[in-house]
Amino acid sequence: MVKIIIMGDEMMSSFQIEGQRAVIDMRERVLKGEHPRREILNFVKTAPVGTIFEIHLPHPGEPLVATFQSLGMNAIVNEVEPAHFRLMAIKMNEI
């Protein structure tokens, strides 16, 4: 497992890479009122084709799902527990 720390606008984010899977937990930042969409998209764009993204959010993240779909990615959201949603997507082509 590789752990990448990226400096955001006000705080750091931890993106864990496990093989071809990237786990991104944004629940705390979103609950603090931040909007890390651009940071997530920049990470997705630089990731290799075939990467599976697992993004944890405090809500279903419909705008992020729509953005992924507009980039040609399939995205699925499921509720892990109350106020904990997991968005799964696979990068199939270069963006």
Side-chain angles (χ1 to χ4, degrees):
M1 173 176 49
V2 175
K3 193 170 193 178
I4 301 171
I5 306 295
I6 298 177
M7 297 302 290
D9 292 337
E10 294 180 12
M11 32 180 358
M12 298 187 301
S13 291
S14 175
F15 293 68
Q16 294 184 359
I17 311 294
E18 301 169 355
Q20 285 190 290
R21 190 168 140 239
V23 180
I24 306 165
D25 192 342
M26 291 293 180
R27 290 176 291 171
E28 185 178 316
R29 288 186 57 189
V30 171
L31 288 172
K32 289 182 178 181
E34 293 184 42
H35 301 279
R37 181 177 170 266
R38 181 175 294 153
E39 185 178 336
I40 293 169
L41 291 176
N42 288 339
F43 182 73
V44 168
K45 288 178 182 179
T46 61
V49 170
T51 301
I52 301 165
F53 299 94
E54 180 178 316
I55 304 168
H56 295 265
L57 301 163
H59 54 72
E62 290 95 348
L64 190 56
V65 170
T67 300
F68 282 177
Q69 290 172 338
S70 75
L71 295 172
M73 297 172 65
N74 291 327
I76 299 169
V77 177
N78 59 5
E79 187 172 11
V80 177
E81 59 188 10
H84 181 184
F85 292 83
R86 178 177 54 207
L87 186 160
M88 300 287 294
I90 302 173
K91 183 176 179 179
M92 301 300 290
N93 302 300
E94 285 299 331
I95 299 172

